[in-house]
Amino acid sequence: MRYSFSTTLLCLLALGMWAQPQYSPHRQQERLNRGLIAFNTAQHTTFVSWRYFDGESDCRYQLFRNGQPVASTRRTSVTLPAASQPDDRYQVKVLDANGEVKETTPAVKPHASHALRVPLKLPDCTVLNNAACYHPNDISIGDVDGDGQYELFVKWNPAGAKDNSHQGQTANVVIDCYRLDGTRLWSINLGPNIRAGAHYTQFLVYDFDGDGRAEMICKTASGSTDGQGRYVSQAADDSAIRNCDDHRYYRNDNGHVLAGPELLTVFDGQTGAAVHTVWYNPNRAGSFNQEGTNPEGRAFWGDDHGNRAERYLACAAYLDGLRPSAVFVRGYYTRSYLWAVDYRDGKLIHRWLHASVSDTTVEHYDASWTKTVKTYASNTCGMGGHFTAFGNGNHNLSVGDYDGDGKDEITIGSAAIDDDGQLLYSVGFGHGDAIHVTDLIPSRPGLEVFHVHESRIPGNDYGWDIHDARTGEVLHHAEGNEDNGRGIAADLMADHRGFEFASANDWQLRAADTGDVLSRRGGSLNFRIYWDGTLQDNLADGGMGRTGYDGHYNGLRRPYTIQAWRGNGMTTVATMPHYSCNGTKQTPNLSCDLFGDWREEVILHDDDGNLYIYSSSMPTDYNVPCLLTDPVYRMGIVWQQTAYNQPPHLGYYLPDRAVKVEE
């Protein structure tokens, strides 16, 4: 059965209709199964849950164990009073308003606990003659065989991975694909000419060509090999790529890669085979469709050692409103390039390229590589001199239909790019480490952006702002006293309509609608998650505290913790004894509504190459459509792995869409 993204939206006053997402019913859709899951709890009960889809408010669900009915409910989760045995099997029938069976799920076996263990195969620890232990890092998901169930794409980080600003050699980056039972489908080695670190490999997993099966697209280089052991250069049409020297090391003595072919490859999700390889645009010299060497001196990028040139982001976006494109970002401290690529009929095809080459100048290249130039003399904050995306990018980005035309726009920090690659606006507050885009203020039409600032600009140093996602209008802002390196936006308080937010400058919880302080007792700033069954967000953080990006421990044996706001502060509602990743960011390998009801799963790992997928067994009185059917959330899962990982958000205010179940 095929389920569609939500296309039915409430009609609003004419003043606000333009700002609401207007997704086409013809927008390419994913096929999702019911996501049925059962597991034993610590209370010796069995928790069973499944997905709810739009249009099922009149449906009833019948739960069967070993072919016998055990529950009939309108809820999408049930707690049975006894623990399950390994040979038990659970099944759900979906009944419509007339009592007719519209769907019967396949039977599933129960898991022993709420932590589903997925065993992995550790990569070779002697790659590049550099003894290096690997740990699972960022994960993305995609359905590689069209059965409605996601597989896991795992990026392995070697010990010794480096931030761009640091010198040193790194071992190779490896990306594997696994089924949920631990079966490895393939392994890709990106080779010696792709450095390991949070800013280099942004891998996009999605069904880009609409055949019902996911692909993976990422930056590659000479020496990268696919899941069949073949050099990715051999999947190119361009003879200059096919003839590149795949055995040459381009790393310099400091470990940086400042020369050599830069490539983009699409891989078949089921086999890992390289399907097509093209030049990566722009290259490090700022030119296109050819090899380039990093310019000498600081004039072009602002440094001469690749720190700014080697900063990458990536996302998927429905730029025509109907089919997904891949978008790759290079640079944000100074120059900022966004390159949109379509995957159609087995080929990667250039769509457009945006180049903010200075604070005032944008170069735009259309599908035929025809160049146009625009100049800008203002921004929406009215301060500083950043009038384009130049110097305005983040270590992260977000995607959504901000202007109600059914097509996606891209927020890259303190600027936004329209679906056609033109500058939508520049807010002008400069670079930052964290960003959150969702319906922060449900009383206003459209979406809003919460952004923390690392930059100093004339008239406003550091701090934070909230601005309109479509126009860039600054709604609230404040200065800070230093680099504001963390920020969270979440709907924590049930008695306050809309989101709250906090940042590292003062940790106070503020109201998104007014900017006023609601509490001086804030919580963690790293991740949000739906877990405890209420309609509010929870905060997630911790995970044994790996330091930096090299995988070493700092001795903080702190469990991963989920907390909820309870009246006057945060209360712990769940803990997990396994590791998060990405150093002080302490992000999960992935947080996502992976299966079961609308609560999100969290994926962590151990030192022995195992993943643990945790699900909530806390009761809920609400049905919410599977979060992955919301376009903003689904695109958020695609970009979650990018650089400084941010949590996904919905494109609507969840309490307005939740259905309270009355049996």
Side-chain angles (χ1 to χ4, degrees), residues 313-319 325-329 336-341 351-352 354 389 392 396-403 407-425 435 437 449 467 469-470 635 639:
L313 308 171
C315 64
Y318 283 70
L319 300 174
S325 301
V327 181
F328 296 89
V329 180
S336 187
Y337 297 85
L338 288 87
W339 180 37
V341 181
R351 185 179 187 88
W352 50 250
H354 171 104
N392 265 327
N396 23 66
L397 75 180
S398 191
V399 174
D401 174 18
Y402 303 151
D403 56 11
K407 304 174 184 179
D408 284 338
E409 287 76 47
I410 303 164
T411 297
I412 60 167
S414 200
I417 309 302
D418 210 346
D419 54 79
D420 60 0
Q422 298 287 355
L423 182 71
L424 186 63
Y425 59 79
I435 197 167
V437 183
V449 180
H467 61 265
R470 187 192 80 91
M635 293 300 94
W639 56 244

Side-chain angles (χ1 to χ4, degrees), residues 112-380:
S113 76
H114 72 143
L116 169 59
R117 176 178 169 271
V118 181
L120 307 181
K121 184 177 181 181
L122 287 166
D124 180 4
C125 288
T126 59
V127 178
L128 196 61
N129 298 317
N130 178 24
C133 293
Y134 284 82
H135 59 270
N137 191 249
D138 299 326
I139 291 176
S140 197
I141 59 170
D143 179 3
V144 304
D145 51 15
D147 66 353
Q149 178 171 285
Y150 292 113
E151 280 71 45
L152 305 177
F153 290 66
V154 181
K155 183 180 82 171
W156 292 91
N157 241 23
K162 303 294 183 185
D163 187 273
N164 301 56
S165 60
H166 297 167
Q167 297 182 3
Q169 300 289 336
T170 73
N172 296 4
V173 176
V174 175
I175 301 177
D176 293 349
C177 182
Y178 287 88
R179 298 195 189 279
L180 293 178
D181 64 2
T183 300
R184 188 174 73 174
L185 299 181
W186 45 257
S187 182
I188 289 169
N189 191 319
L190 294 183
N193 296 313
I194 296 290
R195 204 169 186 237
H199 302 288
Y200 296 99
T201 298
Q202 322 305 344
F203 60 108
L204 298 181
V205 179
Y206 200 62
D207 178 10
F208 286 99
D209 62 355
D211 67 352
R213 301 186 301 113
E215 297 81 33
M216 184 182 77
I217 307 177
C218 71
K219 188 175 188 283
T220 56
S222 52
S224 297
T225 56
D226 69 6
Q228 305 299 306
R230 185 180 68 150
Y231 288 120
V232 302
S233 59
Q234 301 311 298
D237 298 323
D238 190 315
S239 60
I241 298 176
R242 291 200 308 273
N243 293 330
C244 73
D245 185 353
D246 282 303
H247 299 284
R248 181 175 175 182
Y249 285 9
Y250 288 92
R251 299 190 190 201
N252 62 24
D253 291 342
N254 294 324
H256 294 283
V257 184
L258 303 181
E262 296 179 276
L263 310 174
L264 184 74
T265 301
V266 56
F267 298 90
D268 182 277
Q270 194 164 20
T271 67
V275 179
H276 193 217
T277 296
V278 297
W279 294 106
Y280 188 93
N281 288 310
N283 61 35
R284 55 181 65 89
S287 56
F288 313 119
N289 302 312
Q290 60 186 307
E291 185 175 337
T293 300
N294 199 74
E296 294 183 3
R298 302 172 63 89
F300 193 83
W301 286 105
D303 63 39
D304 59 0
H305 57 279
N307 184 30
R308 286 165 172 78
E310 301 294 306
R311 299 280 178 163
Y312 302 98
L313 308 171
C315 64
Y318 283 70
L319 300 174
D320 65 0
L322 301 175
R323 303 184 70 181
S325 301
V327 181
F328 296 89
V329 180
R330 184 173 206 154
Y332 37 75
Y333 286 126
T334 55
R335 289 171 172 261
S336 187
Y337 297 85
L338 288 87
W339 180 37
V341 181
D342 295 335
Y343 177 56
R344 307 287 185 261
D345 301 319
K347 302 294 182 182
L348 292 167
I349 304 167
H350 162 78
R351 185 179 187 88
W352 50 250
L353 187 142
H354 171 104
S356 283
V357 297
S358 77
D359 275 325
T360 59
T361 305
V362 170
E363 298 174 352
H364 181 273
Y365 299 82
D366 67 11
S368 300
W369 287 101
T370 300
K371 175 182 173 180
T372 58
V373 179
K374 292 184 179 181
T375 58
Y376 297 83
S378 64
N379 57 34
T380 65

Side-chain angles (χ1 to χ4, degrees), residues 66-121:
N66 303 326
Q68 300 299 312
V70 291
S72 178
T73 181
R74 294 191 182 277
R75 303 176 188 271
T76 53
S77 61
V78 170
T79 300
L80 301 175
S84 295
Q85 300 302 311
D87 58 352
D88 285 339
R89 295 296 182 269
Y90 291 91
Q91 200 168 20
V92 167
K93 291 185 178 182
V94 183
L95 280 60
D96 64 19
N98 298 318
E100 299 293 327
V101 177
K102 57 180 288 189
E103 180 185 352
T104 301
T105 70
V108 302
K109 63 181 181 180
H111 301 293
S113 76
H114 72 143
L116 169 59
R117 176 178 169 271
V118 181
L120 307 181
K121 184 177 181 181

Side-chain angles (χ1 to χ4, degrees), residues 491-562:
D491 181 23
L492 300 175
M493 301 178 177
D495 57 356
H496 170 250
R497 180 168 170 78
F499 276 58
E500 297 76 43
F501 66 93
S503 69
N505 268 184
D506 62 14
W507 292 80
Q508 299 179 114
L509 276 177
R510 299 175 183 268
D513 54 346
T514 65
D516 296 337
V517 174
L518 297 177
S519 174
R520 300 187 184 279
R521 301 182 64 183
S524 63
L525 301 177
N526 281 337
F527 248 64
R528 53 136 307 276
I529 190 172
Y530 293 119
W531 186 270
D532 70 354
T534 71
L535 298 182
Q536 275 58 59
D537 292 89
N538 303 140
L539 298 182
D541 199 10
M544 302 302 186
R546 294 182 186 275
T547 181
Y549 290 97
D550 59 5
H552 294 304
Y553 298 111
N554 62 11
L556 298 178
R557 308 299 291 182
R558 186 160 71 94
Y560 197 79
T561 302
I562 296 176

